[in-house]
């Protein structure tokens, strides 16, 4: 986000979005024209001609957060505000995700489960301690701890592929967050049979 001195408006679209919460941003972009006309006229002094670009509006949800009911209330508001699909926080517990999906199905929009590639047992433990609503099971932590350093990426790929396979019938897709391991994405997809 670019910003000028105090009191001067920011000069890009990101500046506008930083002042809106998720629901406000969804409402603001729902007609898909307002954001372009407002942002370009207000911040850049430009006027766009129709046809305006069409967005597919998405939002996030944390299926592992407690209480789940609070996440579902937030999700309902996001859908009412215009969300057309959902991406989740990292999912490592398929049973918990399945429970979430049974409840979230009533909103009638696609859900993509989040998959973060684990780099080490330490990373998994860190996520358990510091990332709200994310719990990496001890079995995955042990697998990562037992893998020799040169085989950790292969073990991470195997875990991701297992999760993708287990969630295949539960949601419309996955979004894989490799966090610096983008080079491993083709192997994740191949191993998962995608």
């Amino acid at each position: 986000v670019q910003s000028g001195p105090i009191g001067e408006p920011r000069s890009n679209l990101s500046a506008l979005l930083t002042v809106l919460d998720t629901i406000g941003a969804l409402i603001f972009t729902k007609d898909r024209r307002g954001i372009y006309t407002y942002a370009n006229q207000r911040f850049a002094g430009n006027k766009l001609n129709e046809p305006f670009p069409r967005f597919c509006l998405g939002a996030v949800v944390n299926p592992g957060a407690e209480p789940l009911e609070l996440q579902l209330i937030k999700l309902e508001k996001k859908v009412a505000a215009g969300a057309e699909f959902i991406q989740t926080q990292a999912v490592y517990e398929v049973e918990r995700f399945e429970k979430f999906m049974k409840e979230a199905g009533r909103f009638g929009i696609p859900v993509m489960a989040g998959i973060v590639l684990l780099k080490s047992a330490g990373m998994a433990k860190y996520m358990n301690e510091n990332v709200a609503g994310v719990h990496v099971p001890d079995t995955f932590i042990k697998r990562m701890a037992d893998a020799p350093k040169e085989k950790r990426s292969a073990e991470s790929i195997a875990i991701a592929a297992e999760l993708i396979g287990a969630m295949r019938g539960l949601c419309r897709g996955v979004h894989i967050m490799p966090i610096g391991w983008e080079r491993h994405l083709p192997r994740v997809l191949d191993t998962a049979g995608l």
Side-chain angles (χ1 to χ4, degrees):
V1 174
Q2 299 173 353
S3 62
I6 295 174
E8 290 186 20
R10 293 179 181 180
S11 60
N12 62 28
L13 181 59
S14 297
L16 174 64
L17 295 178
T18 60
V19 300
L20 299 172
D21 64 5
T22 302
I23 294 169
L26 286 165
I27 291 169
F28 193 72
T29 58
K30 192 172 184 178
D31 80 4
R32 294 164 182 86
R33 293 185 215 197
I35 197 162
Y36 280 101
T37 56
Y38 179 83
N40 277 286
Q41 289 173 7
R42 170 74 171 87
F43 293 110
N46 300 325
K47 182 171 175 71
L48 290 179
N49 297 318
E50 292 193 42
F52 296 106
R54 185 188 184 300
F55 286 127
C56 184
L57 302 176
V60 297
V61 69
N62 190 337
E66 293 291 338
L68 180 58
E69 294 74 25
L70 181 58
Q71 288 295 307
L72 293 168
I73 290 167
K74 289 179 183 179
L75 179 55
E76 183 175 27
K77 290 179 179 183
K78 291 173 183 180
V79 172
E84 299 169 283
F85 72 95
I86 298 296
Q87 290 182 293
T88 74
Q89 178 61 280
V91 175
Y92 296 99
E93 297 175 294
V94 176
E95 300 80 20
R96 184 178 268 193
F97 182 70
E98 185 173 14
K99 178 183 172 191
F100 164 78
M101 286 303 298
K102 285 179 182 174
E103 297 291 332
R106 69 178 183 247
F107 301 114
I109 63 172
V111 175
M112 292 189 294
I115 304 284
V116 173
L117 298 183
L118 297 172
K119 293 184 176 183
S120 66
M123 176 186 177
K125 291 175 187 176
Y126 178 88
M127 290 174 68
N128 282 349
E129 294 170 10
N130 297 289
V131 182
V134 173
H135 181 258
V136 182
D138 290 339
T139 55
F140 291 157
I141 294 172
K142 182 171 179 3
R143 285 172 61 180
M144 291 304 295
D146 290 348
K149 187 173 183 176
E150 66 277 1
K151 295 195 178 190
R152 282 189 196 149
S153 63
E155 193 60 41
S156 178
I157 290 165
I159 290 169
E162 289 168 24
L163 289 168
I164 292 168
M167 291 187 281
R168 183 170 270 159
L170 300 175
C171 58
R172 293 280 292 273
V174 295
H175 68 106
I176 302 168
M177 298 170 269
I179 310 179
W181 273 8
E182 289 80 6
R183 67 188 177 278
H184 297 300
L185 286 175
R187 286 182 48 216
V188 171
L189 299 175
D190 288 344
T191 305
L194 300 177

